[in-house]
Amino acid sequence: MFFVYTGAVGAPGFLSWSDVKALEAGGHEVLSHTVSHPNLQQVPDARLASEMRDSRARLEQELGHPIECIAYPFGSYDGRVVKAAADAGYRLAVIADGPSAVDASPALELPRWKMAYGEPLPLFVQRLCAP
Ligand SMILES: [Zn+2]
């Protein structure tokens, strides 16, 4: 899964829209990561709404299918951010750390394992096997 912030697509040093489409064609999912990657807890309501809505709309326009999942930049979220995600039409959202998601995990606050660049594979396996 690739979470893309749409404001960077096409900028120097970032993926182009044809790159993003190639990811999907290669079997990967492309999902929302807002427009400009702000800390969503620190932006006013109007910008919070537009970051969620405009990213989703652009991805849907470019990729031609519904986008229903977002990753909150920096894993930063609170109740206001979760409500904005729901209001923007997202069904799922992921945060930036564990524990593992379970059936009872809130759909707009799904945990996931953080894996930093350079971390060894055994550490990843250890995290997957942790209770
Ligand atoms: Zn990010």
Side-chain angles (χ1 to χ4, degrees):
M1 300 171 90
F2 287 82
F3 292 95
V4 173
Y5 61 102
T6 54
V9 178
F14 289 86
L15 298 178
S16 67
W17 282 110
S18 66
D19 294 328
V20 172
K21 291 171 186 170
L23 284 173
E24 274 212 335
H28 302 285
E29 281 190 82
V30 175
L31 305 159
S32 178
H33 201 34
T34 71
V35 173
S36 67
H37 204 275
N39 182 329
L40 294 172
Q41 289 188 77
Q42 296 176 356
V43 298
D45 290 348
R47 181 163 170 215
L48 175 58
S50 67
E51 289 280 346
M52 300 261 183
R53 181 189 59 236
D54 296 351
S55 173
R56 182 171 182 227
R58 183 68 190 272
L59 286 166
E60 290 180 344
Q61 174 193 346
E62 294 288 344
L63 301 174
H65 61 77
I67 300 294
E68 297 182 312
C69 183
I70 186 168
Y72 305 126
F74 312 104
S76 175
Y77 74 102
D78 57 15
R80 186 180 69 106
V81 171
V82 170
K83 182 180 182 317
D87 291 348
Y90 292 101
R91 290 188 324 106
L92 301 170
V94 295
I95 60 176
D97 50 19
S100 298
V102 295
D103 285 349
S105 298
L108 292 169
E109 300 172 47
L110 291 175
R112 61 182 171 152
W113 292 109
K114 182 182 286 184
M115 189 73 186
Y117 180 77
E119 287 184 345
L121 186 58
L123 178 60
F124 180 65
V125 172
Q126 180 184 351
R127 287 178 179 155
L128 289 179
C129 296

